Amino acid sequence: MSLDISVINDQGSAQLRIVGEVDMYSSTQVRRALLELVKQKQSPVIVDLNEVSYMDSSGVATLIEGLQMCGEYGGTLLIVGLRDNVREVFELTRLDKIFKIYQNIEAAMAR
Amino acid sequence: MSLDISVINDQGSAQLRIVGEVDMYSSTQVRRALLELVKQKQSPVIVDLNEVSYMDSSGVATLIEGLQMCGEYGGTLLIVGLRDNVREVFELTRLDKIFKIYQNIEAAMAR
Amino acid sequence: MINIEGMERRISFMTKTIELHLTSDPPLLSVMRAAVSKVCELADFEHMETSKIILAIDEACSNIIKHAYKGKSGQSIIITCKIKPTRLEFILEDEGEPADIEKIKSRPLHEIRPGGLGVYLITSVMDKVKYSFGVDRGNRLYMSKQRPKDKTT
Amino acid sequence: MINIEGMERRISFMTKTIELHLTSDPPLLSVMRAAVSKVCELADFEHMETSKIILAIDEACSNIIKHAYKGKSGQSIIITCKIKPTRLEFILEDEGEPADIEKIKSRPLHEIRPGGLGVYLITSVMDKVKYSFGVDRGNRLYMSKQRPKDKTT
Ligand SMILES: Nc1ncnc2c1ncn2[C@@H]1O[C@H](COP(=O)(O)OP(=O)(O)O)[C@@H](O)[C@H]1O
Ligand SMILES: Nc1ncnc2c1ncn2[C@@H]1O[C@H](COP(=O)(O)OP(=O)(O)O)[C@@H](O)[C@H]1O
């Protein structure tokens, strides 16, 4: 029931790839991984949600926290690969306007 | 929750394609479709289970009934496209020895 | 073999009730989501509407765990789903601390900070949302959603 | 945001109980299967074992509908799932007609005819199966299955 999280570090930037359902239980795992990258002052932090089949407000809260922490050291956090139902959560909460969201990793890298 | 069932008639033989979960509720739909083909004395009747994600003993019972009814007019019933978990039901009940099971439609046609 | 053809009736014509009793343990919410997903399918909701309803019930359960039970595990949460002819209803019951109804509200959307979005999501997704907090009777959250029209005939 | 790290405990170390209350309506079995699937995942069963457990519980519920309730819809079926440290238990309860325990048996496998395989599948899949039929207390079916060893540490 827990998430699979993998991190690829690449010359200062980092990709956080999450696989599974992000809810109040599993979002703590995402939070821990994000805190680690923030501590290393990575930028951009690219959060790949391509394999995330579900996300609730605790997942969104975790990403907002990550975005704010990145901002504190002048870094950026990008989101890629939103599935329709996950995109809906961002749209309902108007956070699609706050986050930089890209179709895929390539588009985020080429921004 | 109901099944999608489609029938392709082709010069006496018939393909019955089932999509969904076959349980005590939905197997009545399979039964109705099989009875129709048996009434037409089709042979072989090829039951395509490629898109069947679940089958319980009521589904298996329906197929046994179909096999026996085909046998009464000298016809044959072939099964194709068993997924691992559906194959397991046939193996547990030793019915993998009773039914003629093929990998796919092509293999069944070329038998 | 018993013939069950006679049992087959359109689910639309009578109320079907399904109850799920969980405890306040976050991993169990995945069981709730799987069950609610199938309930929505039975009620003829399509994929995206089903996702939103799952989200609403998940947010409501998460709030019970976080706020009513203050994170204490092993406490009772009862989720009753009623598939009625024209609408789908959910009733959530818990024995946690009753809340002040005035406090049940999300942050304003423009105030960007982590948290504070659950109640907003619940009320956005569902047609009717009604909280009742009782000292003796436990807490109760009623939610309903109109079923898709073209399918309920 | 409330920190729920403290709530995270290995599901393996304490019993988690999930109850599902259905009625004897065949379409509702799809909700049971979805819920049982997630329960099996939480108990660390892998895909094929999970499929077999779902099959066993589905056969047991189908038998309650067909035999204990003789196909009558709207009657109570309670499914209790207990994730214990070393095993997964299911208890099915109904208020239908008590059966003669001697009659609970499948056809011999070599006698090929439609039907008569459910009890065989239940007993093949589960480690322990115990029926008890009571005139006042209702009927009860206990089933248990050892959890995968390498995961329960
Ligand atoms: N079931 C509940 N019991 C008690 N208080 C609740 C409940 N649900 C929501 N609340 C209150 O409503 C507030 C807003 O909830 P919500 O929008 O979900 O955001 P969050 O849970 O992140 O604070 C909570 O902070 C809490 O005070
Ligand atoms: N829950 C039950 N209540 C009463 N009788 C049952 C129950 N489960 C099984 N039986 C009896 O056991 C027999 C064998 O069941 P099963 O192997 O599932 O095959 P089938 O249901 O196709 O007859 C049934 O015919 C029935 O007489």
Side-chain angles (χ1 to χ4, degrees), chain D residues 101-136:
Chain D
I101 198 118
E102 301 290 308
K103 290 218 177 114
I104 308 286
K105 54 169 180 271
S106 291
R107 65 165 165 82
L109 287 194
H110 62 86
E111 235 179 62
I112 309 296
R113 56 174 173 84
L117 293 170
V119 169
Y120 175 79
L121 286 169
I122 296 166
T123 51
S124 314
V125 168
M126 305 304 282
D127 297 335
K128 272 194 198 163
V129 176
K130 189 174 180 308
Y131 286 87
S132 30
F133 297 99
V135 181
D136 312 321

mmCIF file of all heavy atoms in Angstrom, chain D residues 101-136:
data_model
loop_
_atom_site.group_PDB
_atom_site.id
_atom_site.type_symbol
_atom_site.label_atom_id
_atom_site.label_comp_id
_atom_site.label_asym_id
_atom_site.label_seq_id
_atom_site.Cartn_x
_atom_site.Cartn_y
_atom_site.Cartn_z
ATOM 1 N N ILE D 101 -24.999 -29.567 7.768
ATOM 2 C CA ILE D 101 -23.556 -29.475 7.497
ATOM 3 C C ILE D 101 -23.080 -30.599 6.569
ATOM 4 O O ILE D 101 -22.128 -30.433 5.800
ATOM 5 C CB ILE D 101 -22.749 -29.429 8.822
ATOM 6 C CG1 ILE D 101 -21.340 -28.889 8.602
ATOM 7 C CG2 ILE D 101 -22.694 -30.791 9.478
ATOM 8 C CD1 ILE D 101 -21.053 -27.629 9.351
ATOM 9 N N GLU D 102 -23.772 -31.717 6.603
ATOM 10 C CA GLU D 102 -23.423 -32.873 5.753
ATOM 11 C C GLU D 102 -23.595 -32.559 4.269
ATOM 12 O O GLU D 102 -22.998 -33.178 3.403
ATOM 13 C CB GLU D 102 -24.340 -34.069 6.078
ATOM 14 C CG GLU D 102 -24.287 -34.535 7.516
ATOM 15 C CD GLU D 102 -22.959 -35.207 7.838
ATOM 16 O OE1 GLU D 102 -22.583 -36.120 7.094
ATOM 17 O OE2 GLU D 102 -22.298 -34.800 8.815
ATOM 18 N N LYS D 103 -24.468 -31.576 3.998
ATOM 19 C CA LYS D 103 -24.784 -31.262 2.601
ATOM 20 C C LYS D 103 -23.792 -30.291 1.968
ATOM 21 O O LYS D 103 -23.822 -30.055 0.756
ATOM 22 C CB LYS D 103 -26.184 -30.637 2.520
ATOM 23 C CG LYS D 103 -27.295 -31.624 2.802
ATOM 24 C CD LYS D 103 -28.495 -31.366 1.888
ATOM 25 C CE LYS D 103 -29.588 -32.384 2.112
ATOM 26 N NZ LYS D 103 -30.798 -31.776 2.680
ATOM 27 N N ILE D 104 -22.941 -29.693 2.833
ATOM 28 C CA ILE D 104 -21.969 -28.727 2.324
ATOM 29 C C ILE D 104 -20.824 -29.489 1.676
ATOM 30 O O ILE D 104 -19.786 -29.720 2.304
ATOM 31 C CB ILE D 104 -21.411 -27.842 3.473
ATOM 32 C CG1 ILE D 104 -22.526 -27.222 4.276
ATOM 33 C CG2 ILE D 104 -20.463 -26.772 2.921
ATOM 34 C CD1 ILE D 104 -23.239 -26.088 3.593
ATOM 35 N N LYS D 105 -21.035 -29.938 0.484
ATOM 36 C CA LYS D 105 -19.902 -30.531 -0.222
ATOM 37 C C LYS D 105 -20.106 -30.432 -1.726
ATOM 38 O O LYS D 105 -21.218 -30.448 -2.232
ATOM 39 C CB LYS D 105 -19.634 -31.972 0.226
ATOM 40 C CG LYS D 105 -20.792 -32.898 0.150
ATOM 41 C CD LYS D 105 -20.290 -34.328 0.356
ATOM 42 C CE LYS D 105 -21.423 -35.311 0.290
ATOM 43 N NZ LYS D 105 -22.062 -35.555 1.582
ATOM 44 N N SER D 106 -18.974 -30.287 -2.416
ATOM 45 C CA SER D 106 -19.009 -30.128 -3.859
ATOM 46 C C SER D 106 -19.156 -31.485 -4.532
ATOM 47 O O SER D 106 -18.981 -32.523 -3.897
ATOM 48 C CB SER D 106 -17.727 -29.458 -4.321
ATOM 49 O OG SER D 106 -17.717 -28.125 -3.883
ATOM 50 N N ARG D 107 -19.462 -31.456 -5.804
ATOM 51 C CA ARG D 107 -19.482 -32.694 -6.590
ATOM 52 C C ARG D 107 -18.058 -33.217 -6.732
ATOM 53 O O ARG D 107 -17.106 -32.451 -6.671
ATOM 54 C CB ARG D 107 -20.072 -32.416 -7.969
ATOM 55 C CG ARG D 107 -19.242 -31.481 -8.842
ATOM 56 C CD ARG D 107 -19.722 -31.575 -10.271
ATOM 57 N NE ARG D 107 -19.271 -30.514 -11.140
ATOM 58 C CZ ARG D 107 -18.084 -30.470 -11.747
ATOM 59 N NH1 ARG D 107 -17.173 -31.397 -11.511
ATOM 60 N NH2 ARG D 107 -17.796 -29.464 -12.550
ATOM 61 N N PRO D 108 -17.903 -34.532 -6.956
ATOM 62 C CA PRO D 108 -16.557 -35.043 -7.250
ATOM 63 C C PRO D 108 -16.069 -34.396 -8.541
ATOM 64 O O PRO D 108 -16.867 -34.223 -9.468
ATOM 65 C CB PRO D 108 -16.793 -36.543 -7.453
ATOM 66 C CG PRO D 108 -18.142 -36.837 -6.876
ATOM 67 C CD PRO D 108 -18.933 -35.582 -6.971
ATOM 68 N N LEU D 109 -14.782 -34.068 -8.606
ATOM 69 C CA LEU D 109 -14.270 -33.318 -9.757
ATOM 70 C C LEU D 109 -14.429 -34.052 -11.091
ATOM 71 O O LEU D 109 -14.590 -33.420 -12.130
ATOM 72 C CB LEU D 109 -12.795 -32.958 -9.559
ATOM 73 C CG LEU D 109 -12.468 -31.858 -8.553
ATOM 74 C CD1 LEU D 109 -11.039 -31.385 -8.732
ATOM 75 C CD2 LEU D 109 -13.423 -30.681 -8.659
ATOM 76 N N HIS D 110 -14.394 -35.394 -11.042
ATOM 77 C CA HIS D 110 -14.461 -36.138 -12.308
ATOM 78 C C HIS D 110 -15.877 -36.183 -12.894
ATOM 79 O O HIS D 110 -16.066 -36.483 -14.063
ATOM 80 C CB HIS D 110 -13.917 -37.556 -12.111
ATOM 81 C CG HIS D 110 -14.708 -38.348 -11.118
ATOM 82 N ND1 HIS D 110 -15.837 -39.050 -11.461
ATOM 83 C CD2 HIS D 110 -14.550 -38.495 -9.781
ATOM 84 C CE1 HIS D 110 -16.325 -39.627 -10.358
ATOM 85 N NE2 HIS D 110 -15.564 -39.298 -9.330
ATOM 86 N N GLU D 111 -16.861 -35.871 -12.078
ATOM 87 C CA GLU D 111 -18.253 -35.859 -12.547
ATOM 88 C C GLU D 111 -18.537 -34.511 -13.189
ATOM 89 O O GLU D 111 -18.960 -33.561 -12.528
ATOM 90 C CB GLU D 111 -19.145 -35.952 -11.308
ATOM 91 C CG GLU D 111 -20.143 -37.053 -11.285
ATOM 92 C CD GLU D 111 -20.908 -37.003 -9.964
ATOM 93 O OE1 GLU D 111 -21.587 -35.998 -9.687
ATOM 94 O OE2 GLU D 111 -20.797 -37.977 -9.197
ATOM 95 N N ILE D 112 -18.265 -34.430 -14.484
ATOM 96 C CA ILE D 112 -18.356 -33.122 -15.131
ATOM 97 C C ILE D 112 -19.810 -32.697 -15.351
ATOM 98 O O ILE D 112 -20.524 -33.280 -16.166
ATOM 99 C CB ILE D 112 -17.615 -33.116 -16.499
ATOM 100 C CG1 ILE D 112 -16.194 -33.652 -16.348
ATOM 101 C CG2 ILE D 112 -17.615 -31.717 -17.123
ATOM 102 C CD1 ILE D 112 -15.293 -32.829 -15.472
ATOM 103 N N ARG D 113 -20.257 -31.699 -14.594
ATOM 104 C CA ARG D 113 -21.576 -31.096 -14.853
ATOM 105 C C ARG D 113 -21.546 -29.648 -14.360
ATOM 106 O O ARG D 113 -20.684 -29.283 -13.556
ATOM 107 C CB ARG D 113 -22.681 -31.893 -14.164
ATOM 108 C CG ARG D 113 -22.498 -32.056 -12.664
ATOM 109 C CD ARG D 113 -23.693 -32.717 -12.005
ATOM 110 N NE ARG D 113 -23.408 -32.997 -10.603
ATOM 111 C CZ ARG D 113 -23.538 -32.115 -9.618
ATOM 112 N NH1 ARG D 113 -23.934 -30.889 -9.870
ATOM 113 N NH2 ARG D 113 -23.256 -32.440 -8.361
ATOM 114 N N PRO D 114 -22.463 -28.836 -14.849
ATOM 115 C CA PRO D 114 -22.449 -27.435 -14.415
ATOM 116 C C PRO D 114 -22.713 -27.364 -12.912
ATOM 117 O O PRO D 114 -23.546 -28.098 -12.404
ATOM 118 C CB PRO D 114 -23.624 -26.798 -15.188
ATOM 119 C CG PRO D 114 -23.930 -27.733 -16.307
ATOM 120 C CD PRO D 114 -23.557 -29.106 -15.824
ATOM 121 N N GLY D 115 -22.001 -26.472 -12.223
ATOM 122 C CA GLY D 115 -22.247 -26.272 -10.795
ATOM 123 C C GLY D 115 -21.486 -27.240 -9.911
ATOM 124 O O GLY D 115 -20.744 -28.100 -10.391
ATOM 125 N N GLY D 116 -21.661 -27.049 -8.608
ATOM 126 C CA GLY D 116 -21.080 -27.964 -7.641
ATOM 127 C C GLY D 116 -19.588 -27.846 -7.438
ATOM 128 O O GLY D 116 -18.920 -28.809 -7.078
ATOM 129 N N LEU D 117 -19.021 -26.650 -7.652
ATOM 130 C CA LEU D 117 -17.574 -26.480 -7.485
ATOM 131 C C LEU D 117 -17.196 -25.451 -6.411
ATOM 132 O O LEU D 117 -16.027 -25.366 -6.024
ATOM 133 C CB LEU D 117 -16.939 -26.055 -8.820
ATOM 134 C CG LEU D 117 -16.974 -27.099 -9.939
ATOM 135 C CD1 LEU D 117 -16.547 -26.466 -11.261
ATOM 136 C CD2 LEU D 117 -16.081 -28.301 -9.605
ATOM 137 N N GLY D 118 -18.169 -24.682 -5.937
ATOM 138 C CA GLY D 118 -17.866 -23.569 -5.039
ATOM 139 C C GLY D 118 -17.178 -23.989 -3.747
ATOM 140 O O GLY D 118 -16.133 -23.441 -3.373
ATOM 141 N N VAL D 119 -17.737 -24.968 -3.066
ATOM 142 C CA VAL D 119 -17.176 -25.396 -1.782
ATOM 143 C C VAL D 119 -15.768 -25.958 -1.996
ATOM 144 O O VAL D 119 -14.859 -25.713 -1.208
ATOM 145 C CB VAL D 119 -18.106 -26.434 -1.094
ATOM 146 C CG1 VAL D 119 -17.417 -27.078 0.094
ATOM 147 C CG2 VAL D 119 -19.411 -25.755 -0.670
ATOM 148 N N TYR D 120 -15.593 -26.678 -3.110
ATOM 149 C CA TYR D 120 -14.257 -27.199 -3.437
ATOM 150 C C TYR D 120 -13.250 -26.061 -3.571
ATOM 151 O O TYR D 120 -12.144 -26.127 -3.030
ATOM 152 C CB TYR D 120 -14.314 -28.027 -4.725
ATOM 153 C CG TYR D 120 -12.954 -28.474 -5.177
ATOM 154 C CD1 TYR D 120 -12.325 -29.567 -4.572
ATOM 155 C CD2 TYR D 120 -12.267 -27.778 -6.168
ATOM 156 C CE1 TYR D 120 -11.062 -29.957 -4.956
ATOM 157 C CE2 TYR D 120 -10.999 -28.161 -6.564
ATOM 158 C CZ TYR D 120 -10.403 -29.248 -5.945
ATOM 159 O OH TYR D 120 -9.146 -29.619 -6.320
ATOM 160 N N LEU D 121 -13.644 -25.008 -4.293
ATOM 161 C CA LEU D 121 -12.732 -23.868 -4.477
ATOM 162 C C LEU D 121 -12.423 -23.192 -3.136
ATOM 163 O O LEU D 121 -11.282 -22.844 -2.853
ATOM 164 C CB LEU D 121 -13.334 -22.860 -5.460
ATOM 165 C CG LEU D 121 -13.311 -23.307 -6.931
ATOM 166 C CD1 LEU D 121 -14.160 -22.391 -7.799
ATOM 167 C CD2 LEU D 121 -11.875 -23.376 -7.463
ATOM 168 N N ILE D 122 -13.444 -23.016 -2.314
ATOM 169 C CA ILE D 122 -13.236 -22.374 -1.010
ATOM 170 C C ILE D 122 -12.212 -23.151 -0.192
ATOM 171 O O ILE D 122 -11.245 -22.597 0.340
ATOM 172 C CB ILE D 122 -14.571 -22.251 -0.229
ATOM 173 C CG1 ILE D 122 -15.552 -21.335 -0.979
ATOM 174 C CG2 ILE D 122 -14.332 -21.747 1.199
ATOM 175 C CD1 ILE D 122 -16.992 -21.419 -0.479
ATOM 176 N N THR D 123 -12.421 -24.480 -0.110
ATOM 177 C CA THR D 123 -11.519 -25.273 0.719
ATOM 178 C C THR D 123 -10.131 -25.432 0.083
ATOM 179 O O THR D 123 -9.148 -25.579 0.802
ATOM 180 C CB THR D 123 -12.118 -26.662 1.035
ATOM 181 O OG1 THR D 123 -12.537 -27.254 -0.196
ATOM 182 C CG2 THR D 123 -13.329 -26.545 1.951
ATOM 183 N N SER D 124 -10.054 -25.378 -1.255
ATOM 184 C CA SER D 124 -8.720 -25.459 -1.883
ATOM 185 C C SER D 124 -7.898 -24.217 -1.577
ATOM 186 O O SER D 124 -6.692 -24.291 -1.408
ATOM 187 C CB SER D 124 -8.798 -25.541 -3.411
ATOM 188 O OG SER D 124 -9.741 -26.453 -3.825
ATOM 189 N N VAL D 125 -8.556 -23.060 -1.578
ATOM 190 C CA VAL D 125 -7.831 -21.796 -1.463
ATOM 191 C C VAL D 125 -7.477 -21.467 -0.013
ATOM 192 O O VAL D 125 -6.365 -21.029 0.272
ATOM 193 C CB VAL D 125 -8.668 -20.640 -2.070
ATOM 194 C CG1 VAL D 125 -8.080 -19.288 -1.716
ATOM 195 C CG2 VAL D 125 -8.804 -20.811 -3.587
ATOM 196 N N MET D 126 -8.420 -21.685 0.906
ATOM 197 C CA MET D 126 -8.201 -21.250 2.282
ATOM 198 C C MET D 126 -7.530 -22.363 3.101
ATOM 199 O O MET D 126 -7.651 -23.543 2.790
ATOM 200 C CB MET D 126 -9.540 -20.851 2.923
ATOM 201 C CG MET D 126 -10.336 -19.801 2.153
ATOM 202 S SD MET D 126 -9.450 -18.243 1.808
ATOM 203 C CE MET D 126 -9.552 -17.418 3.390
ATOM 204 N N ASP D 127 -6.825 -21.960 4.159
ATOM 205 C CA ASP D 127 -6.182 -22.949 5.024
ATOM 206 C C ASP D 127 -7.187 -23.612 5.955
ATOM 207 O O ASP D 127 -7.147 -24.809 6.186
ATOM 208 C CB ASP D 127 -5.100 -22.281 5.888
ATOM 209 C CG ASP D 127 -3.987 -21.691 5.049
ATOM 210 O OD1 ASP D 127 -3.769 -22.168 3.925
ATOM 211 O OD2 ASP D 127 -3.328 -20.737 5.526
ATOM 212 N N LYS D 128 -8.043 -22.783 6.552
ATOM 213 C CA LYS D 128 -9.060 -23.321 7.461
ATOM 214 C C LYS D 128 -10.426 -22.833 7.031
ATOM 215 O O LYS D 128 -10.590 -21.652 6.695
ATOM 216 C CB LYS D 128 -8.826 -22.815 8.895
ATOM 217 C CG LYS D 128 -7.897 -23.676 9.687
ATOM 218 C CD LYS D 128 -7.966 -23.324 11.169
ATOM 219 C CE LYS D 128 -6.734 -23.860 11.864
ATOM 220 N NZ LYS D 128 -6.519 -23.232 13.182
ATOM 221 N N VAL D 129 -11.401 -23.732 7.043
ATOM 222 C CA VAL D 129 -12.776 -23.376 6.678
ATOM 223 C C VAL D 129 -13.688 -24.059 7.690
ATOM 224 O O VAL D 129 -13.605 -25.262 7.888
ATOM 225 C CB VAL D 129 -13.117 -23.882 5.255
ATOM 226 C CG1 VAL D 129 -14.576 -23.607 4.917
ATOM 227 C CG2 VAL D 129 -12.194 -23.262 4.212
ATOM 228 N N LYS D 130 -14.520 -23.264 8.353
ATOM 229 C CA LYS D 130 -15.394 -23.867 9.347
ATOM 230 C C LYS D 130 -16.790 -23.262 9.249
ATOM 231 O O LYS D 130 -16.972 -22.050 9.414
ATOM 232 C CB LYS D 130 -14.816 -23.631 10.745
ATOM 233 C CG LYS D 130 -15.534 -24.392 11.827
ATOM 234 C CD LYS D 130 -14.837 -24.237 13.178
ATOM 235 C CE LYS D 130 -15.551 -24.989 14.281
ATOM 236 N NZ LYS D 130 -16.975 -24.693 14.371
ATOM 237 N N TYR D 131 -17.768 -24.106 8.952
ATOM 238 C CA TYR D 131 -19.154 -23.646 8.889
ATOM 239 C C TYR D 131 -19.820 -23.867 10.235
ATOM 240 O O TYR D 131 -19.607 -24.898 10.877
ATOM 241 C CB TYR D 131 -19.936 -24.468 7.858
ATOM 242 C CG TYR D 131 -19.626 -24.142 6.406
ATOM 243 C CD1 TYR D 131 -18.580 -24.772 5.736
ATOM 244 C CD2 TYR D 131 -20.410 -23.232 5.707
ATOM 245 C CE1 TYR D 131 -18.316 -24.499 4.396
ATOM 246 C CE2 TYR D 131 -20.144 -22.953 4.363
ATOM 247 C CZ TYR D 131 -19.103 -23.588 3.720
ATOM 248 O OH TYR D 131 -18.844 -23.311 2.402
ATOM 249 N N SER D 132 -20.641 -22.915 10.693
ATOM 250 C CA SER D 132 -21.533 -23.222 11.810
ATOM 251 C C SER D 132 -22.900 -22.632 11.521
ATOM 252 O O SER D 132 -23.024 -21.472 11.132
ATOM 253 C CB SER D 132 -20.973 -22.733 13.146
ATOM 254 O OG SER D 132 -20.167 -21.597 12.995
ATOM 255 N N PHE D 133 -23.903 -23.482 11.657
ATOM 256 C CA PHE D 133 -25.263 -23.068 11.336
ATOM 257 C C PHE D 133 -26.074 -23.042 12.618
ATOM 258 O O PHE D 133 -26.080 -24.001 13.373
ATOM 259 C CB PHE D 133 -25.889 -24.052 10.342
ATOM 260 C CG PHE D 133 -25.155 -24.081 9.043
ATOM 261 C CD1 PHE D 133 -24.234 -25.081 8.771
ATOM 262 C CD2 PHE D 133 -25.354 -23.085 8.095
ATOM 263 C CE1 PHE D 133 -23.541 -25.103 7.572
ATOM 264 C CE2 PHE D 133 -24.663 -23.097 6.897
ATOM 265 C CZ PHE D 133 -23.757 -24.105 6.636
ATOM 266 N N GLY D 134 -26.725 -21.925 12.890
ATOM 267 C CA GLY D 134 -27.455 -21.822 14.145
ATOM 268 C C GLY D 134 -28.856 -21.353 13.874
ATOM 269 O O GLY D 134 -29.064 -20.483 13.046
ATOM 270 N N VAL D 135 -29.808 -21.951 14.566
ATOM 271 C CA VAL D 135 -31.203 -21.572 14.342
ATOM 272 C C VAL D 135 -31.443 -20.154 14.878
ATOM 273 O O VAL D 135 -32.041 -19.318 14.216
ATOM 274 C CB VAL D 135 -32.164 -22.584 14.994
ATOM 275 C CG1 VAL D 135 -33.614 -22.202 14.740
ATOM 276 C CG2 VAL D 135 -31.877 -23.977 14.434
ATOM 277 N N ASP D 136 -30.956 -19.864 16.094
ATOM 278 C CA ASP D 136 -31.167 -18.520 16.655
ATOM 279 C C ASP D 136 -30.074 -17.549 16.218
ATOM 280 O O ASP D 136 -30.345 -16.395 15.947
ATOM 281 C CB ASP D 136 -31.126 -18.550 18.191
ATOM 282 C CG ASP D 136 -31.970 -19.653 18.750
ATOM 283 O OD1 ASP D 136 -33.055 -19.881 18.177
ATOM 284 O OD2 ASP D 136 -31.550 -20.287 19.739
#
